[in-house]
Amino acid sequence: MAGRDLKALFASNDRFAAVEAFTNRGAQWQAVTDALTEHLHHISEASFDVQDLEAPRRNVLTFYGVGGIGKTTLSRKLEAALAADDEHRPAQWDQPAWPAHPRLLPVRIDLARSAGTDFERLVLTVRLALAAGVGRPLPAFDLALRRYWEHHHPGESLEEYLRRGGLAGRFGKALPQHMRSALGDATAALALPGSVATAVGQVTGALVRALRERRQSVRALAGCARLADLLETEPDLEALSYYPHLLAYELAQLPADKAVAPVVLLDTFEDTGDRTHRDLERLIQRVVWLMPNAFFIITGRSRLQWADAALEGQLDWTGPQAWPGLDAPAVPHARTAPDVGRTRQVLIGDFSPEDCDDYLARRLTRDDEPLIGAELRQVITRRSHGLPLYLDLAVMRFLEIRRGGRAPEPADFEYDFPALIARTIRDLTPDERHVLRSVSLLAAFDVPLATRAAGLAHEAAATRLSERPFVREDVFGLWPFHLHALIRSTLRSADDQTDDAWSARDWQQAAERAFAALGEQWSTAPAHSRVLLVGCLRQALVLARDFRLGLDWLVQAAFHYISDSIWEPLAPPADGQSAAAGLGSAADALVETLSALARRQHENRERTAERLTAVIGTGLLPTELHEMAVYYLAKAHRDLGRTADSRTGMQRVADGGGRLAPNARRGLAHLARLAGDFPTALTVAGHLGWEGRHHRVEGDVRWVQGDITGAAQAFQAARREGEEHGKRGEAAMSQAMRAFTLAFSDPATADDEIDLAEHLLAAVDLRAATLDARIAALLRDAGSDTGLEDRARILAAEISTSGLAFSRAKLELALAFHHAVHDNRTAIAHSIGRLCELTREDYYAYYVDIARFMADLPLPAEEIRPRPRWIEGEQITRDRWRALVTARRAHLGSTR
């Protein structure tokens, strides 16, 4: 019978059902005792057949929940309690009342990757536990295992393997003797000569023949219907996964006074794989299915999905018919009154959204209908972040509002409960409370960062806090620890009524300490780590913005961030703010600037220009960062085709002589190139140096001359220089342009270059360079792919959302090359017309000339626009582009 929630029951005059959902781990123990009692009665029934491979299985119980809630501790406590050791059974756990026979034999196996448990070790562990608990050979299994061992571990003794792995010390050394005894007994029963007494292959071969011939001498093993088949099968890992069937058979043959029921506790089950890779899970499930007389208690972070019929093919046995105890939804209600006949999956710790909703629906009912409506349940679930305590408090708030005479509304639960703070910190030391509040300012932390943010001289308090259940750990994170999301938000925003509640000044000082600590971690790191830079920026920008801190080390960090053009997302605008509307400090302006730069890879450049213009207009940024905003606004103007505005901005930054002056001079060289003044652009490139990315600027000038070799070499030099300086963004951009360039002349070489570009681009966020690589793929296939124009239309649609006008023109130029190879005059004319629309006198107008060069068309005499200043003259440039077309035709002719 479910426990009653007396607190809720006595909170209202209304009559409704209130079910208590929160108890101690006694509920989990009750679930274990109930399930085991049922299991022991089931395997003792006369109708139970251990060799029945079709009967549904109820021999598994799962406890699952988020990390850090004590699942491993529960597994260990269960192992101790099941060993019939009353001293190690928690006092609140009742004495079990299951049958005395068969005797329980618990064995716990940690499946964590750090424990190094593979499937072979799992099977050996189970057999070793039985060797210690039964004290006699289990011949069918032991013969098969001996054959497997000699096949897979030739020359390696089992004794040494067990000793080296620590298994012998844990379970004793009986197994090797049992295996030798089983082999000797089989040799004697088969009357084999002594010369083959230790040759397991000959013994098992003779045994198989005897079993097939149903000889009386092997009647002890003849009852195992599948033994001969297993002994004839190649002794590989797949066969080993079926050997537990032999183990189950041998256990069923034990006399009543020696009978045991193994209870296998599999902990950290999430490390067996994921929802895509289930190889180890499949082998373990096979063990569970083939040992119906054993019971398995599985603890992990996720529910078992074995009852999901959709997994057919990934696992051997799936669906609710196979696992009737695993198909029912595991709800919090099962924690207090587990219905063994209904579910064998028990949630502990935080709840999933579905479990939260189910809990709220079950907690208060009238006439079997939920008292809390679906809309309210959704709001409460979202605010709870799965924390059971929040759900409990929300139920009481629901009743309190009803008691006030009105119906609760969703807005009533956009609320932080001060009681969460009191309950969270009640058993913490003063230092631990201090650290807790300090780290609530941080999205993630480690012990040194927490200690520094708290202003403490010793790490002990932070270390102790990191072990608390509301602190979650991600061992792969830059900082491994983070607070439970709800606890963190409550500490920051609730009306703290505790005795040591912080004042506004306390919070301000903690923010300043945390900000300084992040700066120290970044600036004192032995090597400039991009991951550390971005992590420190993400946390420090929020602190600086929320607490109006000075920028300090953020200026230097911001320049490091932009130096490689990778553009990881940093920090969004504060809640309720849009762009620069709420900017009131330098920190606000910097957050908006860096956010605009990162988002420009995913937003239209028009939006980027709007955001940067608004930031510049506030005048909040110091001079260096102001120039950063001006420079990137100039880049956005250039991408949008606003060359005059771009030239003004670039010139201002170049004249300022600041950190971005070389970049601005490069920008001016690009603008000269866009206007067709190639000699000037090439001359400027020679004076830019590495900081101005001279090789990439040179490559951009040379490829439009039709100088494919010179351009490819320049882009290769730019990529190598970027790699030498550790600038992944520069290397990726340069490689994308090298691939684009070579795609005009050599499709085979372009294949490898495009692959390399895609590999480098996968690690960065560079929209324009990614488009270059995709246009290169079209150029590589020009003239040969009948679906190329459809691909180009799809790509054109994507480009149109980005605002990158130059990429659209570059795509049209690639199409002109394709049509020129086909000598499709109508399509060429269309491409030239489109290029005329996409370009203008000072913005890629020479693309129109290149398209005509490709098609061997004359330049219109009536055009009055200035001609591009080609490096080696118009005729040489025309001849080069036409030669690329004729070479592609020849290449296609030779491959058809």
Side-chain angles (χ1 to χ4, degrees), residues 488-733:
R488 182 183 178 221
S489 67
T490 304
L491 284 165
R492 292 286 306 276
S493 56
D495 185 11
D496 191 344
Q497 298 296 317
T498 57
D499 292 339
D500 57 353
W502 276 8
S503 67
R505 182 56 186 157
D506 291 329
W507 284 107
Q508 182 71 26
Q509 290 176 338
E512 292 170 0
R513 291 193 302 267
F515 179 83
L518 289 165
E520 288 175 8
Q521 282 209 359
W522 172 65
S523 60
T524 61
H528 284 297
S529 163
R530 183 78 186 181
V531 174
L532 179 61
L533 167 67
V534 171
C536 289
L537 274 173
R538 283 174 178 162
Q539 301 222 60
L541 284 169
V542 174
L543 288 170
R545 180 192 66 190
D546 293 349
F547 290 91
R548 294 295 188 261
L549 305 179
L551 296 183
D552 193 43
W553 61 271
L554 283 179
V555 175
Q556 182 75 6
F559 276 98
H560 274 274
Y561 172 74
I562 68 169
S563 67
D564 196 20
S565 304
I566 297 181
W567 311 118
E568 304 91 334
L570 291 177
D575 292 342
Q577 291 187 356
S578 60
L583 302 186
S585 70
D588 286 333
L590 179 57
V591 168
E592 176 65 9
T593 299
L594 296 181
S595 176
L597 298 186
R599 286 296 303 163
R600 73 195 183 111
Q601 305 301 324
H602 308 280
E603 293 179 338
N604 191 289
R605 285 296 196 272
E606 187 68 53
R607 173 62 177 153
T608 304
E610 290 174 0
R611 296 177 71 178
L612 292 175
T613 299
V615 169
I616 292 168
T618 67
L620 291 169
L621 290 173
T623 301
E624 285 185 297
L625 294 177
H626 180 82
E627 287 188 351
M628 178 190 293
V630 171
Y631 169 73
Y632 280 100
L633 176 59
K635 286 194 68 173
H637 283 320
R638 186 186 70 202
D639 293 342
L640 292 165
R642 302 168 185 167
T643 52
D645 290 335
S646 179
R647 186 174 291 106
T648 299
M650 291 292 183
Q651 193 65 59
R652 184 184 306 168
V653 177
D655 292 344
R659 300 192 200 200
L660 292 177
N663 303 63
R665 287 192 288 272
R666 179 179 76 240
L668 292 170
H670 282 313
L671 289 167
R673 173 176 58 86
L674 268 54
D677 187 359
F678 302 122
T680 297
L682 191 60
T683 300
V684 173
H687 298 88
L688 289 174
W690 152 248
E691 289 186 347
R693 308 304 193 255
H694 54 148
H695 288 308
R696 180 153 56 89
V697 176
E698 179 188 351
D700 283 333
V701 173
R702 291 199 178 280
W703 80 262
V704 295
Q705 316 301 312
D707 181 5
I708 301 303
T709 301
Q713 289 173 349
F715 287 128
Q716 183 179 54
R719 186 199 73 214
R720 289 174 176 171
E721 208 166 36
E723 291 169 341
E724 289 168 3
H725 287 83
K727 302 300 183 184
R728 291 182 294 164
E730 175 63 24
M733 284 188 284

Side-chain angles (χ1 to χ4, degrees), residues 842-879:
D842 62 345
Y843 193 72
Y844 296 102
Y846 52 85
Y847 277 9
V848 179
D849 292 1
I850 292 174
R852 290 179 173 135
F853 294 165
M854 290 174 177
D856 199 20
L857 295 174
L859 298 179
E862 65 274 11
E863 280 191 351
I864 60 174
R865 65 178 174 85
R867 294 295 181 193
R869 296 178 61 206
W870 303 104
I871 299 295
E872 297 175 80
E874 180 182 306
Q875 188 59 48
I876 291 178
T877 306
R878 170 186 286 274
D879 292 344

Side-chain angles (χ1 to χ4, degrees), residues 283-311:
L283 298 177
I284 293 175
Q285 189 212 48
R286 195 173 289 163
V287 173
V288 176
W289 186 271
L290 296 176
M291 296 188 70
N293 49 354
F295 194 81
F296 295 81
I297 300 175
I298 295 176
T299 46
R301 295 193 178 186
S302 304
R303 296 178 61 207
L304 286 182
Q305 297 178 287
W306 298 354
D308 186 353
L311 292 183

Side-chain angles (χ1 to χ4, degrees), residues 28-326:
Q28 282 80 60
W29 173 245
Q30 187 63 50
V32 170
T33 57
D34 289 350
L36 264 176
T37 300
E38 182 195 61
H39 173 74
L40 293 173
H41 283 300
H42 173 62
I43 65 176
S44 299
E45 293 172 355
S47 60
F48 175 74
D49 180 6
V50 75
Q51 297 192 78
D52 183 352
L53 299 180
E54 298 178 355
R57 297 300 196 251
R58 295 179 179 272
N59 61 329
V60 60
L61 175 65
T62 304
F63 294 110
Y64 74 100
V66 297
I69 59 171
K71 297 184 298 295
T72 294
T73 300
L74 174 63
S75 180
R76 288 171 176 156
K77 288 288 186 183
L78 289 173
E79 180 188 31
L82 294 172
D85 187 350
D86 291 346
E87 179 184 351
H88 291 93
R89 189 175 68 249
Q92 68 268 30
W93 289 5
D94 296 330
Q95 174 72 36
W98 47 57
H101 296 286
R103 174 172 54 88
L104 295 181
L105 183 64
V107 51
R108 182 176 173 276
I109 302 173
D110 188 356
L111 298 173
R113 294 186 181 96
S114 59
T117 302
D118 57 13
F119 182 71
E120 182 179 275
R121 186 180 176 90
L122 183 149
V123 173
L124 284 174
T125 301
V126 173
R127 178 60 185 94
L128 283 163
L130 290 171
V134 176
R136 58 188 289 176
L138 303 175
F141 178 87
D142 291 347
L143 286 170
L145 180 61
R146 175 71 178 267
R147 181 167 175 259
Y148 168 88
W149 189 262
E150 293 197 2
H151 181 81
H152 271 267
H153 298 268
E156 181 181 15
S157 71
L158 181 59
E159 292 92 331
E160 175 60 22
Y161 178 88
L162 298 177
R163 184 195 64 76
R164 189 172 62 250
L167 294 175
R170 180 180 172 189
F171 296 102
K173 303 177 181 180
L175 178 57
Q177 291 88 336
H178 289 178
M179 290 171 63
R180 285 191 292 270
S181 177
L183 186 65
D185 291 345
T187 300
L190 296 167
L192 295 174
S195 60
V196 298
T198 59
V200 67
Q202 295 185 47
V203 173
T204 53
L207 177 58
V208 167
R209 288 191 295 274
L211 290 170
R212 298 292 190 201
E213 296 166 5
R214 300 183 180 181
R215 297 181 198 169
Q216 187 69 14
S217 60
V218 292
R219 63 182 181 278
L221 295 174
C224 186
R226 296 170 180 84
L227 174 59
D229 298 291
L230 286 174
L231 291 178
E232 284 182 319
T233 302
E234 178 74 11
D236 54 16
L237 191 67
E238 190 77 359
L240 179 66
S241 68
Y242 286 96
Y243 291 176
H245 171 72
L246 306 178
L247 205 56
Y249 169 79
E250 289 288 4
L251 290 175
Q253 310 311 306
L254 294 174
D257 61 334
K258 299 289 186 182
V260 298
V263 180
V264 183
L265 299 103
L266 300 176
D267 192 25
T268 327
F269 198 77
E270 66 270 15
D271 276 6
T272 59
D274 53 37
R275 296 191 175 192
T276 302
H277 305 91
R278 296 181 181 269
D279 296 337
L280 179 57
E281 183 182 2
R282 186 182 74 254
L283 298 177
I284 293 175
Q285 189 212 48
R286 195 173 289 163
V287 173
V288 176
W289 186 271
L290 296 176
M291 296 188 70
N293 49 354
F295 194 81
F296 295 81
I297 300 175
I298 295 176
T299 46
R301 295 193 178 186
S302 304
R303 296 178 61 207
L304 286 182
Q305 297 178 287
W306 298 354
D308 186 353
L311 292 183
E312 183 177 353
Q314 293 189 65
L315 301 175
D316 292 347
W317 293 274
T318 58
Q321 290 74 32
W323 306 96
L326 302 181

